[in-house]
Amino acid sequence: MASVAAKVMSTVSAPYGVLLTAAQLAEKIADIKSADTCDCSVFAFLSEVSPKLQQSFIDEMGVHKDAVIAVAGKFSDLAGYKLPLAI
């Protein structure tokens, strides 16, 4: 696992006891259903991982950034504050 993915996964998985792979997280951050179900791992990625590391992870995992922006926007609405990737 690359260092970017390892850093992201330690931030997202460890505190919440969520067991998922970097590939699974990559799928979740681009799936609007993650906001509908209030997925804690996706919210942790969007709120606790630095914006620079978020972008590196998105690039490294080949995730469509527009999809992540849509998910971030929905989570921002739910949280009541703007997340870095929300537009």
Side-chain angles (χ1 to χ4, degrees):
M1 183 182 315
S3 63
V4 169
K7 288 177 187 175
V8 168
M9 297 312 296
S10 66
T11 300
V12 170
S13 298
Y16 303 100
V18 177
L19 300 175
L20 72 159
T21 65
Q24 289 170 322
L25 179 62
E27 288 178 26
K28 287 176 174 264
I29 64 172
D31 186 349
I32 201 70
K33 292 177 191 170
S34 296
D36 294 336
T37 61
C38 299
D39 188 294
C40 65
S41 59
V42 175
F43 185 67
F45 174 82
L46 295 170
S47 63
E48 297 179 24
V49 174
S50 73
K52 182 178 178 182
L53 194 54
Q54 287 175 3
Q55 186 58 57
S56 294
F57 182 81
I58 289 166
D59 293 342
E60 182 174 289
M61 299 304 293
V63 179
H64 195 275
K65 188 171 182 179
D66 289 341
V68 181
I69 289 169
V71 173
K74 194 155 188 186
F75 266 110
S76 280
D77 292 343
L78 292 169
Y81 61 91
K82 189 173 184 314
L83 295 167
L85 285 175
I87 293 179

